[in-house]
């Protein structure tokens, strides 16, 4: 028994070492990438339900690795959160979105809101909201042009820290969307507590539409959202049937591959230019 225990300890130790090494490797790679400017934003359009007019964008980060090509945020955001580098990366993402919005204002004479995903760890900086508002001022952006998306799991875990800053942002006119609604816990309490302007129904609720059980849930969520005067965004709309069903059930905005994939800045600019001309 002794020998087994010893062997499993050795194994455990080796696994820990591997994990530590892997972590160090990611940390170094992310650090290099930040220094080398390998991150960029794509912009996925959002559309008003019914009219199907462009009503804004969601900024989604991409890592363009010289050796491996484009890496999905699902692969590196959790790593950046583990290493703490999400603070630097998150700051860069906000700065890039502000720069793009400013460029649109200057070249097109206007813009539509851009939503940026914010990790709960970014709120560990007690001046997060302050710095964000300062950036908007520095870029001469009306606060309503910039939105933030936060997941309910994120908000729940850190209410004391997150809530006052969200309230400050909302007060200053920055709309807040509750992301991935329907897959977290305690959604109802959160909806009442958080100063939000929109709820985004997770694609897992939208994909099964127009099946009647999914439709019942989406409809209930829309009744709730409407009574709280929220925008209700259907995420992951991939088929015409899902789109018409989401609209009929009360969603106010649509987002998904059917209407538009995440786009490089240049293509998003063309789409925006067309929309502003109308
Ligand atoms: P999310 O915020 O829920 O973003 C929606 C994801 O769904 C995006 O994946 C988007 O490309 C994808 N998507 C949009 N429409 C469709 C559709 O019709 N079908 C399918 N199958 N997928 C669709 P992406 O860009 O890979 O981002 C994944 C997640 O990574 C995001 O989920 C978000 O949680 C996180 N993320 C992305 N950008 C950022 C960022 O700048 N900061 C932070 N903290 N997290 C980010
Ligand atoms: Ca999002
Ligand atoms: Ca989402
Ligand atoms: Ca998601």
């Amino acid at each position: 028994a002794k020998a087994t225990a010893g062997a499993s300890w050795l194994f455990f130790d080796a696994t820990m070492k591997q994990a530590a090494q892997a972590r160090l490797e990611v940390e170094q790679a992310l650090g290099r990438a930040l220094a080398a400017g390998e991150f960029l934003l794509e912009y996925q359009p959002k559309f008003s339900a019914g009219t199907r007019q462009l009503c804004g964008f969601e900024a989604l980060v991409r890592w363009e690795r010289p050796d491996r090509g484009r890496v999905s945020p699902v692969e590196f955001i959790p790593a950046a959160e583990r290493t703490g580098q999400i603070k630097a990366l998150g700051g860069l993402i906000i700065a890039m979105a502000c720069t793009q919005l400013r460029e649109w204002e200057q070249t097109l004479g206007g813009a539509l809101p851009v939503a940026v995903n914010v990790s709960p760890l970014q709120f560990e900086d007690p001046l997060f909201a302050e710095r964000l508002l300062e950036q908007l001022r520095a870029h001469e952006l009306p606060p309503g042009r910039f939105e933030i998306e936060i997941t309910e799991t994120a908000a729940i875990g850190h209410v004391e820290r997150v809530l006052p800053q969200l309230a400050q942002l909302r007060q200053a006119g920055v709309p807040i969307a509750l992301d991935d609604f329907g897959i977290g816990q305690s959604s109802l309490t959160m909806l009442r507590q958080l100063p939000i302007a929109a709820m985004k129904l997770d694609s897992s609720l939208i994909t099964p539409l127009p099946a009647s059980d999914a439709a019942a849930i989406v409809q209930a969520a829309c009744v709730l959202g409407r009574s709280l005067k929220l925008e209700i965004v259907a995420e992951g709309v991939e088929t015409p049937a899902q789109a018409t069903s989401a609209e009929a059930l009360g969603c106010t905005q649509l987002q998904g591959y059917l209407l538009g994939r995440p786009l490089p800045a240049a293509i998003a600019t063309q789409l925006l230019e067309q929309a502003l001309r109308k």
Side-chain angles (χ1 to χ4, degrees), residues 215-226:
I217 296 172
V218 170
Q219 186 169 35
C222 288
V223 168
L224 189 64
R226 199 159 43 229

Side-chain angles (χ1 to χ4, degrees), residues 8 16 25 61 63 83 101 134 226:
S8 79
M16 296 243 301
E25 220 167 75
V61 68
W63 180 5
T83 62
L101 273 165
E134 177 50 41
R226 199 159 43 229

Side-chain angles (χ1 to χ4, degrees), residues 7 15 32 45-46 91 128 134 148 155 157 159 164 177 183 188 192 211 241 248 271 278:
T15 316
R32 274 193 302 268
K46 293 188 288 181
F128 171 78
E134 177 50 41
I148 73 169
V159 176
I183 58 169
L188 303 182
R192 219 173 56 77
L271 202 65
K278 277 186 197 146

Side-chain angles (χ1 to χ4, degrees), residues 179-180 202 235:
D179 205 356
D180 298 351
D202 192 72
E235 283 196 308

